Amino acid sequence: MAGDDGGRAQGGKNRDGGRGRGRGRGRGGRGGGRNSTRGGGAGRKGGRGQSRGGGNDQGRGRGRGNCKSPEQNSSNESPNNQKNDTAKDKQTPKKKNEKDASKNHPPNNQKNDTAKDKQKPKKKNEKDNSKNEQKKVVEGKRNKPKNESSSKKSNNNKKQDGKKSSPFTPLTPSAPPNQPQLTNDINYGRGEKITVLHIAEKPSIAQAIARGLSGPADVVQKGKSLPVHEFTHSSGTSTFPKAPNASSCRHRVTSVAGHVFSVDFPPQFQSWDSVDPAELFTAPVVKKPCKGSVVKHLQDEARGVDFMVLWMDCDREGENINFEVLDCCLHLMKHGGNSNFDRVYRAYFSAINPSDIKKAYNALGKPDKNQALSVDARQELDLKVGVAFSRFQTRFFQGRYGDLDSAVLSYGPCQTPTLGFCVQRHVAIETFTPEPYWTLDLKVLKRGHSLHTTWGGGRSFNRNKVEALVTQCTESDSPVLTVTKVVTKEKKQGRPIPLNTVALLKACSKALGIGPHQAMQTAERLYLSGYLSYPRTESSTYPKSFDIRGTLQQQSSDHRWGNYVQNLLANGHNKSRGGVDMGDHPPITPCRSSSGELSGDMARVYEFVVRHFIASVSQDAVWRSTRVDFELEPLKEKGKFSVSGKELVDPGFLAVLLHREYGNEGEHIDGLRDEEEDEEERAVPEFKEGEVIPLVQDKASSKGGSGNVTVAVSAHCWASLGIKEKMTTAPSHLTESELISLMEKHEIGTDASIATHIENIQKRNYVALGNNRKLVPSKLGLVLVQGYHQIDSGLVLPKIRSDIEGQCNKIAKGLADRDTVVKKAIEVFLDKFQFFVKNIDKMDILFGSSFAKLEDVGKPFTRCGNSRRYLQYIPGPPARLYNKFTETVYPLPAGGNVKQWTGRKCTVPDCDFELCLYSCGQPPRTFPLCPNCYNNSDWSLDSSGTDDPIDREDEHKEKQIQKIAGKTLVLECPLPDHHPLIEEMTVSPDPDSDGVLILDPHLGPKWRLVSTRNPTIVHLPKSIDKLTVMNKADDVLGCHYMKIDFKAGESPLEGGELHHECCYPTDEIMQGVSRVYHGSDRLKATGRGRGRGGRGRDGRGGRGRGRGRR
């Protein structure tokens, strides 16, 4: 849940449809080498107007289409374009209506409870309105004037909507909430050919649906990233259940790739400098495409279809994706309008085998808007709460302290309680005081077996009490140990229940040593490769239709467990034990056999899943358990002891699960703990009830009153009684497995997000992973959580998340209104935020005692253009320059290296800051960097010269800094191309991007040109002795001429001339002797290439000879 990182609430991370190659997708304009077209797609005006680019703009049904380039969200980024003022200025100003008394009392958490009482009358009104709307539809033909009035009213509403429409407003769902099916015309398409579009959540599920529904029909597949499977059923073979009288039915089966849209703030709320974080609680939110190509794909496939069947996961997230799909393409179906919702259906399935697919196909239902709205509510709350708190505390503390070791001090309703669990355990360890305790230690030796018994009295913290018991035995005339009871019976150890996501994550961490995030990624790769079923599931029981025998047969030839499986098939497999069916996906099971092609973590996770599946349908293990009770007669009731042990009779499922290999540390892999696991696996010698074992004093060891009582060694059975002193021990830090259990218990996160929350607190350096997968809080994590407790414990306790989930559950069940719940929750969190801001000094005291002030950190780096004082370089993270005289912070770009540049100054008027050099990419490309201009909005990468707000937002998102792993990465020139420093070094436009080629600031002896917006390097010939960029510029291209001096005898010029002036883009001589290297903005890259080439197709530069390689 990305709101926990202070970033987007939901959605993907791809920048597909961004700049791409020449920004072809996303904006639609200037794409594919500046061969933009105008028109096409669902445009900006009423769904059909013109758009600035073909094909990738998304229409909204009614109102304006959105052809913005889908970009990554910047809501939670550490500010790059900001100038920090003093700490006082960073605090959110006090509101006029805030009361001073609130400073000492945290706001109440329970304001949301009032929402329940307000829902009932509204629900009744909504029901009445629904009835009135249906009545109008029925009576429309009878009462024409009323119908016309209603139509005019509807048209007026549409006009108003059109006026309000803007690229920053949220998408309006095309389908009304929970609209009932008003018609059920089985004669639709009678005698005609109809088209049904099936949309699944993942490509692999779409493929399974096509196989399950096609029958004998031939399936034609087209497309790669999101394939479309087509087949046709003619009349008499297999008809569509909702149109049985159609002459033929053409099916198209495709998919999305998870969420289609993500939630973010509009551009005017993206700035960390100009936007007060408190404003974010009341700011609007917008839905933006996660991947523009998915939107276009859906619109292309939905255009003109008769029916639409949605095959998303049968959970809330799946329902939310259903309505995201409808927002894209409902209006493009045949016969348009809201009545299209009447021909939209939803398939409910729990497994993707053919029988379940056909069963769902023949029992289609309708999408549930309430469940989708509950997800929308959670996304909006997570976004607003997470971003507001994260921005404020990041700006506040990074402006004061220099060694925080985190780029973003993020807050999140799920992330912060997760951290709280780790800190709570750490505090318990630090405050623990060991205490000594004593217990009676009775040892029995019989037939070579030494048995340590368990004292029924437990332990005592009074040594004298235990010594008195021993003394009582020694003073007894005949100390005798009597066997009072012997019980031997067989016990069964239940086979594990089927594997769901949480159980898999816990097992991988505890048994395989693979962290939750890595385990989830590995399971997803196995799923996409066809080895495992869908790994995100809450179900822990197999559906009745699940083919257990067929799945076992796939594993019968494996050399590791093949013999066991063959015997299991011959003798009959068992049913799964316990578990629940949550209706989303079946438990995680193998889908096909591995023939040794897997390796590393993929092989280990696959082997565990296969063994667990086989074990879950095997026979229970059988143990022979023996318990012997003893009594020391002199001590009576205080002298009761026992010893127990067990021996394996029938290993059952243990023969394949390898139980001991996968760990058994107090918590069973499937989350259950059987009684027999408390017994030690050992052989217990034979005892008989009433058997007497004499005890005599060992005088040599009884001095001091704490000796042992023994008998002669020659006896066939003898015993000793002594005192054992022990110390209480502190609990250990939480393991990943234990943390997952706590998160599941307190409903923190979902099966799909638990791994992400644990990964986030590690990436933020709030916790560190120690030995045995233990999570140890860092100094920063401890101070944050303790600071929350100092101000308002509700910010870190799990109850705050449970309240949100409780309200979302009510929305999903139709018991609460989405807007009312969000409004009430926002009011509660706004009060908490304002209280947090007022009392931030309490947390600041903790930070001040744990971290170094900015003025005490760093080394002199470059001079400030205003004060002429040296700025201190703070390596961070995040890296920044700090002026301790003016208390001003200048954030630096991340993702590369910053170096000094020999005292050169910025040429921008009134700037005069000393320059740095910024290198990024592989191989490194170097650019000039002015710390002041980089943080000045006039020279920001996000600035645009256009007055069109739509174009300005497009430009803002196209140039936006990528968000990776919680850090703000700049993988291009940090200054815009129109900055004077860049302009005076520009020698050519870059045909591969919208950037330019500049002379590398390192100059000779290896002369080269680097692209400002593309990882491209042009290596100039080694024969160049000196190169100067002239003030003279080309009138058409606007780039500067170069003055080149060649080495004697190495000139490529005719006649061996040594001096040459040229405009690089039009000079064939320099083009021919240059070598182009296409690098990467990643950490590592290799490649080579020769030749520059001319202007290729679509206006893009050719590549000449050679090749590039990554």
Side-chain angles (χ1 to χ4, degrees):
M1 187 167 308
D4 286 340
D5 288 335
R8 73 173 61 164
Q10 186 73 37
K13 300 181 180 179
N14 296 320
R15 299 185 64 194
D16 216 314
R19 193 164 59 247
R21 292 190 174 182
R23 298 202 329 234
R25 297 180 181 176
R27 285 194 61 201
R30 296 191 295 177
R34 296 174 171 77
N35 58 341
S36 62
T37 59
R38 305 185 68 87
R44 288 188 179 135
K45 297 184 179 180
R48 285 198 314 165
Q50 291 185 343
S51 65
R52 298 184 57 215
N56 195 36
D57 46 9
Q58 63 152 58
R60 293 189 187 173
R62 296 172 296 188
R64 301 174 63 166
N66 179 12
C67 58
K68 297 180 291 184
S69 169
E71 293 289 332
Q72 290 187 340
N73 190 317
S74 63
S75 298
N76 191 33
E77 287 308 313
S78 180
N80 275 319
N81 304 321
Q82 49 187 307
K83 181 183 290 186
N84 291 5
D85 299 319
T86 62
K88 286 185 178 181
D89 297 333
K90 294 187 187 100
Q91 297 191 31
T92 304
K94 183 184 296 185
K95 303 291 182 181
K96 291 182 179 180
N97 60 348
E98 290 174 352
K99 298 181 180 179
D100 293 337
S102 66
K103 184 172 183 178
N104 298 320
H105 303 283
N108 193 348
N109 267 349
Q110 305 300 324
K111 287 191 177 183
N112 280 348
D113 294 341
T114 59
K116 180 177 180 181
D117 299 332
K118 296 183 179 182
Q119 302 310 313
K120 294 182 180 179
K122 189 163 186 177
K123 183 178 179 182
K124 183 176 180 180
N125 293 338
E126 289 174 351
K127 184 175 182 181
D128 294 341
N129 292 337
S130 177
K131 289 181 179 179
N132 292 336
E133 291 175 1
Q134 295 185 26
K135 187 175 180 180
K136 289 180 181 180
V137 172
V138 174
E139 296 180 354
K141 295 182 180 180
R142 300 179 183 177
N143 195 343
K144 188 172 182 180
K146 181 181 290 188
N147 192 34
E148 291 174 353
S149 176
S150 177
S151 176
K152 291 178 181 179
K153 183 177 180 180
S154 176
N155 291 335
N156 291 335
N157 290 337
K158 290 183 179 180
K159 292 178 181 178
Q160 293 175 2
D161 292 343
K163 292 178 182 179
K164 294 180 180 179
S165 178
S166 73
F168 309 142
T169 54
L171 288 174
T172 303
S174 301
N178 283 348
Q179 176 180 338
Q181 185 173 353
L182 301 179
T183 63
N184 189 20
D185 186 8
I186 62 173
N187 292 319
Y188 181 91
R190 175 183 290 274
E192 299 177 357
K193 298 179 180 180
I194 63 172
T195 302
V196 179
L197 176 63
H198 304 261
I199 304 176
E201 189 169 333
K202 294 286 190 299
S204 59
I205 299 178
Q207 184 179 29
I209 293 170
R211 291 175 179 174
L213 297 181
S214 60
D218 294 332
V219 179
V220 178
Q221 178 178 329
K222 64 178 183 179
K224 293 183 179 180
S225 60
L226 295 175
V228 180
H229 310 271
E230 295 187 0
F231 55 93
T232 302
H233 287 157
S234 58
S235 180
T237 56
S238 179
T239 57
F240 183 57
K242 301 302 180 181
N245 297 316
S247 62
S248 67
C249 180
R250 180 189 179 195
H251 295 268
R252 292 209 299 261
V253 186
T254 187
S255 73
V256 293
H259 276 275
V260 182
F261 297 100
S262 63
V263 179
D264 194 9
F265 292 111
Q268 60 265 36
F269 292 93
Q270 298 285 351
S271 173
W272 287 59
D273 293 310
S274 60
V275 178
D276 182 351
E279 298 177 13
L280 299 177
F281 288 96
T282 55
V285 295
V286 296
K287 285 193 172 184
K288 301 178 181 179
C290 299
K291 197 172 182 180
S293 58
V294 174
V295 175
K296 180 180 183 300
H297 172 75
L298 290 174
Q299 293 177 340
D300 290 343
E301 297 301 325
R303 188 169 284 106
V305 301
D306 296 277
F307 291 89
M308 192 181 300
V309 181
L310 304 171
W311 294 79
M312 309 303 166
D313 289 352
C314 299
D315 56 11
R316 295 180 190 175
E317 295 291 337
E319 291 292 358
N320 190 259
I321 299 174
N322 281 336
F323 284 89
E324 289 178 353
V325 170
L326 295 181
D327 288 341
C328 290
C329 51
L330 182 64
H331 63 287
L332 296 174
M333 294 175 62
K334 193 174 181 180
H335 302 314
N338 272 345
S339 62
N340 288 355
F341 187 74
D342 224 22
R343 288 175 281 112
V344 173
Y345 296 94
R346 203 258 198 261
Y348 294 92
F349 61 101
S350 59
I352 55 175
N353 52 62
S355 59
D356 269 54
I357 289 174
K358 292 178 181 177
K359 181 179 179 181
Y361 177 70
N362 291 314
L364 298 175
K366 301 294 287 184
D368 187 352
K369 185 66 175 179
N370 285 332
Q371 293 193 41
L373 289 175
S374 70
V375 175
D376 287 339
R378 175 178 53 77
Q379 290 179 354
E380 182 173 346
L381 290 175
D382 287 345
L383 175 72
K384 292 184 174 181
V385 174
V387 175
F389 276 93
S390 299
R391 284 191 186 180
F392 173 75
Q393 63 188 26
T394 298
R395 291 291 306 276
F396 184 88
F397 291 114
Q398 283 187 354
R400 286 173 171 256
Y401 304 99
D403 56 345
L404 297 181
D405 195 29
S406 183
V408 176
L409 302 184
S410 61
Y411 173 89
C414 279
Q415 172 191 293
T416 305
T418 302
L419 173 62
F421 291 135
C422 300
V423 173
Q424 182 181 11
R425 176 63 64 88
H426 179 82
V427 172
I429 295 172
E430 293 297 317
T431 57
F432 181 83
T433 302
E435 293 185 57
Y437 67 92
W438 295 265
T439 182
L440 288 178
D441 182 25
L442 176 66
K443 298 178 183 178
V444 179
L445 179 64
K446 185 173 185 179
R447 296 177 183 175
H449 293 275
S450 179
L451 305 176
H452 288 266
T453 62
T454 302
W455 182 32
R459 62 183 179 181
S460 174
F461 292 92
N462 189 329
R463 179 185 179 93
N464 295 331
K465 174 183 175 181
V466 180
E467 289 180 344
L469 294 176
V470 175
T471 302
Q472 184 177 344
C473 279
T474 61
E475 294 178 352
S476 175
D477 296 336
S478 57
V480 175
L481 181 66
T482 305
V483 178
T484 59
K485 187 177 182 181
V486 178
V487 177
T488 300
K489 62 180 180 180
E490 289 189 350
K491 292 183 178 180
K492 288 187 176 182
Q493 180 180 351
R495 57 199 177 277
I497 63 175
L499 199 64
N500 62 12
T501 303
V502 171
L504 174 66
L505 298 181
K506 291 164 66 176
C508 285
S509 175
K510 183 169 61 176
L512 305 182
I514 303 175
H517 186 69
Q518 179 64 27
M520 199 71 251
Q521 289 184 331
T522 303
E524 287 178 345
R525 287 198 298 270
L526 289 168
Y527 162 68
L528 295 174
S529 301
Y531 289 99
L532 296 184
S533 61
Y534 191 58
R536 299 184 185 273
T537 175
E538 298 180 13
S539 297
S540 54
T541 186
Y542 301 122
K544 293 181 180 179
S545 58
F546 184 74
D547 187 5
I548 294 178
R549 186 174 184 85
T551 307
L552 286 172
Q553 288 175 341
Q554 292 177 348
Q555 304 295 330
S556 60
S557 59
D558 194 285
H559 68 278
R560 292 164 290 184
W561 47 74
N563 292 335
Y564 180 91
V565 172
Q566 292 173 11
N567 293 332
L568 185 62
L569 290 171
N571 299 325
H573 62 78
N574 212 341
K575 294 182 179 179
S576 62
R577 178 173 70 92
V580 293
D581 185 357
M582 300 300 293
D584 50 354
H585 282 285
I588 305 170
T589 57
C591 294
R592 66 186 178 97
S593 175
S594 168
S595 303
E597 61 268 21
L598 297 176
S599 62
D601 287 347
M602 291 184 69
R604 298 171 64 209
V605 173
Y606 175 80
E607 179 178 354
F608 174 78
V609 172
V610 174
R611 289 185 181 275
H612 193 100
F613 164 70
I614 298 172
S616 68
V617 293
S618 297
Q619 301 301 320
D620 295 340
V622 180
W623 297 86
R624 181 180 294 111
S625 173
T626 302
R627 177 186 171 95
V628 182
D629 293 339
F630 303 93
E631 182 179 321
L632 272 173
E633 291 186 2
L635 302 182
K636 302 301 181 182
E637 291 298 323
K638 295 181 180 179
K640 294 184 180 296
F641 298 84
S642 64
V643 65
S644 61
K646 63 181 182 180
E647 297 178 273
L648 188 60
V649 177
D650 183 358
F653 72 90
L654 294 179
V656 68
L657 185 61
L658 304 180
H659 185 276
R660 299 168 187 78
E661 180 181 333
Y662 287 106
N664 183 22
E665 303 173 3
E667 183 185 10
H668 196 38
I669 289 177
D670 60 6
L672 300 177
R673 184 187 177 99
D674 294 320
E675 181 182 349
E676 62 269 17
E677 291 188 7
D678 293 331
E679 299 176 343
E680 182 180 349
E681 185 179 354
R682 61 181 175 181
V684 177
E686 182 179 356
F687 289 92
K688 294 182 179 180
E689 290 187 12
E691 182 178 348
V692 176
I693 305 173
L695 278 79
V696 295
Q697 180 180 2
D698 183 358
K699 296 182 180 180
S701 60
S702 62
K703 296 179 180 180
S706 60
N708 293 338
V709 179
T710 63
V711 298
V713 179
S714 60
H716 72 282
C717 180
W718 60 274
S720 66
L721 178 65
I723 298 176
K724 180 175 289 187
E725 181 178 350
K726 297 182 178 180
M727 298 290 290
T728 57
T729 58
S732 62
H733 286 98
L734 287 177
T735 63
E736 291 171 325
S737 177
E738 292 169 338
L739 179 57
I740 292 172
S741 297
L742 285 173
M743 295 175 69
E744 185 181 23
K745 175 182 177 181
H746 293 280
E747 298 181 349
I748 302 299
T750 64
D751 62 306
S753 64
I754 282 177
T756 301
H757 301 319
I758 297 176
E759 179 75 4
N760 284 339
I761 62 175
Q762 295 181 61
K763 286 184 176 181
R764 299 294 188 226
N765 292 325
Y766 294 162
V767 299
L769 188 63
N771 296 332
N772 300 320
R773 314 296 303 183
K774 296 183 185 299
L775 297 169
V776 182
S778 66
K779 182 169 59 175
L780 178 59
L782 287 170
V783 171
L784 275 175
V785 171
Q786 290 172 346
Y788 292 137
H789 281 297
Q790 287 283 337
I791 300 175
D792 182 2
S793 294
L795 293 174
V796 72
L797 295 177
K799 187 179 185 303
I800 195 170
R801 183 64 194 180
S802 298
D803 291 343
I804 293 177
E805 288 298 332
Q807 293 299 318
C808 289
N809 289 337
K810 291 181 180 180
I811 297 174
K813 296 176 182 178
L815 302 178
D817 176 65
R818 182 256 187 203
D819 294 335
T820 303
V821 168
V822 172
K823 180 181 177 182
K824 292 292 183 182
I826 289 298
E827 290 175 357
V828 171
F829 279 110
L830 179 57
D831 290 343
K832 286 183 172 294
F833 177 78
Q834 293 171 342
F835 185 82
F836 178 74
V837 171
K838 291 178 184 178
N839 294 272
I840 193 64
D841 56 317
K842 295 180 180 179
M843 184 181 283
D844 189 37
I845 294 175
L846 297 177
F847 271 82
S849 62
S850 302
F851 300 100
K853 297 283 187 180
L854 276 179
E855 56 265 25
D856 301 328
V857 181
K859 60 181 181 180
F861 199 68
T862 58
R863 286 185 183 274
C864 172
N866 299 323
S867 65
R868 302 309 302 160
R869 302 277 190 168
Y870 270 102
L871 303 176
Q872 291 176 277
Y873 176 68
I874 312 295
R880 54 204 187 275
L881 297 177
Y882 175 66
N883 190 330
K884 64 181 180 181
F885 300 97
T886 62
E887 296 188 0
T888 306
V889 177
Y890 299 91
L892 297 174
N897 297 319
V898 179
K899 298 180 180 179
Q900 295 167 305
W901 196 18
T902 62
R904 296 173 185 253
K905 296 181 181 179
C906 182
T907 57
V908 173
D910 300 326
C911 180
D912 210 30
F913 270 65
E914 285 188 356
L915 300 177
C916 311
L917 289 178
Y918 180 71
S919 301
C920 62
Q922 286 293 336
R925 299 170 0 258
T926 304
F927 309 99
L929 169 63
C930 173
N932 183 50
C933 294
Y934 176 71
N935 291 281
N936 189 326
S937 59
D938 293 338
W939 302 110
S940 169
L941 289 178
D942 297 328
S943 62
S944 176
T946 177
D947 294 329
D948 187 345
I950 298 176
D951 289 345
R952 186 163 56 248
E953 189 212 9
D954 285 344
E955 193 73 17
H956 165 83
K957 300 303 286 185
E958 298 250 1
K959 299 290 183 70
Q960 167 181 314
I961 297 172
Q962 296 186 19
K963 176 184 177 183
I964 298 178
K967 298 179 180 179
T968 54
L969 301 188
V970 177
L971 304 176
E972 56 187 357
C973 178
L975 297 176
D977 294 344
H978 61 277
H979 191 280
L981 289 173
I982 305 302
E983 281 189 337
E984 66 186 23
M985 303 174 69
T986 300
V987 298
S988 172
D990 181 10
D992 295 330
S993 69
D994 59 345
V996 295
L997 296 177
I998 66 172
L999 182 64
D1000 190 312
H1002 283 132
L1003 305 178
K1006 295 182 179 180
W1007 303 93
R1008 61 182 194 166
L1009 309 178
V1010 294
S1011 171
T1012 56
R1013 308 295 160 219
N1014 206 38
T1016 300
I1017 299 175
V1018 179
H1019 293 275
L1020 300 179
K1022 297 180 180 180
S1023 58
I1024 295 179
D1025 182 50
K1026 183 179 178 181
L1027 190 152
T1028 305
V1029 178
M1030 306 173 64
N1031 292 329
K1032 178 182 177 182
D1034 184 87
D1035 295 334
V1036 177
L1037 298 176
C1039 53
H1040 291 267
Y1041 276 71
M1042 295 190 300
K1043 182 178 180 180
I1044 304 173
D1045 294 338
F1046 291 98
K1047 297 177 183 179
E1050 300 181 21
S1051 173
L1053 302 177
E1054 184 178 354
E1057 291 288 336
L1058 299 180
H1059 305 289
H1060 183 57
E1061 290 185 7
C1062 69
C1063 178
Y1064 182 79
T1066 59
D1067 191 278
E1068 296 183 357
I1069 296 177
M1070 293 302 301
Q1071 291 272 343
V1073 296
S1074 300
R1075 181 171 58 90
V1076 181
Y1077 186 104
H1078 306 292
S1080 171
D1081 53 13
R1082 300 180 182 179
L1083 295 179
K1084 293 182 179 180
T1086 58
R1088 64 179 184 269
R1090 292 181 58 195
R1092 181 64 183 164
R1095 303 290 290 182
R1097 291 181 302 171
D1098 300 329
R1100 298 185 68 252
R1103 289 291 180 255
R1105 296 178 297 161
R1107 63 181 184 272
R1109 181 184 58 179
R1110 287 187 183 180

